[in-house]
Structures are given as C-alpha cells and as structure tokens.
Amino acid sequence: HMNTKTKTASIRLYNDKVHSQKEVMLMLMKLLGHGPDQAMQCIVIIETKGSYTVREDVDPTIAFDLIGAMDLAGYKAELEFN
C-alpha cells in the first residue's frame, strides 16, 4: 500500500521597494517566528535574488492564513505546494 505524504506548502517572499529592512525583519519574526539572524539572512537573499522561500513545510491551512496576513500588510508573497 502506498505511503501518502501530506501536502505541505512553502511561502516565497518577493522583494519590494516599499518596506524597510526593519519592517521586513519584524514581520518575519512576528508572523513566521524567525530569530533576528534568520530574518536578516532571508532579507539579504531576497534583496540579492529578488525572492526567497522564507518558510517551508507549512500545513496548507496555516500557510493560507500567513499569506493572508502578509498580503494585508502589503507584502508580495505566494504559496508553493510541495
């Protein structure tokens, strides 16, 4: 019988010219539970590459809520299903 893996989601955050590094850092810490160093690493990659997967292996229901909160705060983020 087949081993069915539960679908999970990843959250990709895109660079924008609207939010300061401090705002992005606080959002990542508040919404995703990142520590300051982890948040800063994400920001550096986003600014360099244009986007970055800031959270992986999230339950899709939770991921939708997180994306909604990010969207309301004016961030460009999208879900990727694994």
Side-chain angles (χ1 to χ4, degrees):
H1 102 130
M2 283 180 61
N3 184 9
T4 55
K5 187 181 177 291
T6 312
K7 262 201 161 189
T8 61
S10 296
I11 298 171
R12 178 171 291 273
L13 181 62
Y14 289 85
N15 196 10
D16 65 46
K17 305 285 181 247
V18 182
H19 299 93
S20 68
Q21 282 191 344
K22 185 172 184 181
E23 289 173 315
V24 178
M25 178 181 262
L26 291 172
M27 182 274 291
L28 290 172
M29 290 169 69
K30 182 180 161 200
L31 282 181
L32 303 183
H34 286 14
D37 292 344
Q38 187 184 9
M40 199 59 223
Q41 284 177 334
C42 290
I43 291 165
V44 169
I45 296 168
I46 290 165
E47 289 181 348
T48 307
K49 297 190 171 182
S51 70
Y52 183 63
T53 302
V54 291
R55 184 81 184 269
E56 291 180 309
D57 289 329
V58 189
D59 177 283
T61 313
I62 296 166
F64 277 114
D65 288 344
L66 290 171
I67 283 279
M70 292 165 119
D71 194 51
L72 279 175
Y75 292 93
K76 180 170 170 16
E78 68 181 21
L79 290 182
E80 296 168 344
F81 292 96
N82 312 320

